[in-house]
Each structure stands twice: as structure tokens, then as C-alpha cells.
Amino acid sequence: MRHKVAGWKLGRNTSHRRSLLRNLVTSLILEERIETTVPKAKAMRPQVEKMINPRQALAIFRPGAGLAHI
């Protein structure tokens, strides 16, 4: 059982998972809609919300903070 185990592994190693999530987030921002699986969508949701919500991304103080990720 995975009680209190944070994060999503998605059956990949760390570098593959990071690049997968980065590509998904980039595609979502550019295309505004993507087709993916539910676990991948749940894993990328916090990153997308941080980029969209200016208070979380500190876009008030750093205007290019969201675009630096892409």
C-alpha cells in the first residue's frame, strides 16, 4: 500500500518523467487542449496551476516566470 507516498511515478524513471510532464504542460499551454490519461493529467495539474495562477508563479514580480518553463 502506498500510504502517505507523495508524487506520481507513472512507471518511468526520474528524467523520463520530468521530460514527459514538461512536454505535456507545454503542449497544454500552447494548444489549450490535449488528450492524455487520467494519471498523467493528475500528475501535471499542479504544475499547470502554478503557471496559470499568477500569485503562485509570482508573475507579479517576475513577468517571464511562466514562459521560462516552456
Side-chain angles (χ1 to χ4, degrees):
M1 287 188 253
R2 289 179 43 108
H3 294 290
K4 295 189 178 184
V5 177
W8 298 84
K9 295 234 181 228
L10 301 175
R12 291 160 171 81
N13 60 18
T14 305
S15 61
H16 189 185
R17 186 171 53 252
R18 283 182 184 168
S19 63
L20 170 78
L21 292 175
R22 179 175 291 212
N23 289 332
L24 285 172
V25 169
T26 303
S27 296
L28 181 65
I29 296 297
L30 295 177
E31 303 294 328
E32 297 180 0
R33 178 177 288 191
I34 59 172
E35 188 171 324
T36 185
T37 62
V38 173
K40 289 177 190 173
K42 287 183 178 181
M44 72 176 213
R45 183 175 179 167
Q47 293 178 357
V48 173
E49 287 180 349
K50 284 181 185 176
M51 291 182 67
I52 292 174
N53 189 352
R55 290 184 184 171
Q56 290 179 355
L58 297 176
I60 297 169
F61 302 107
R62 294 175 43 210
L67 296 177
H69 182 73
I70 296 175

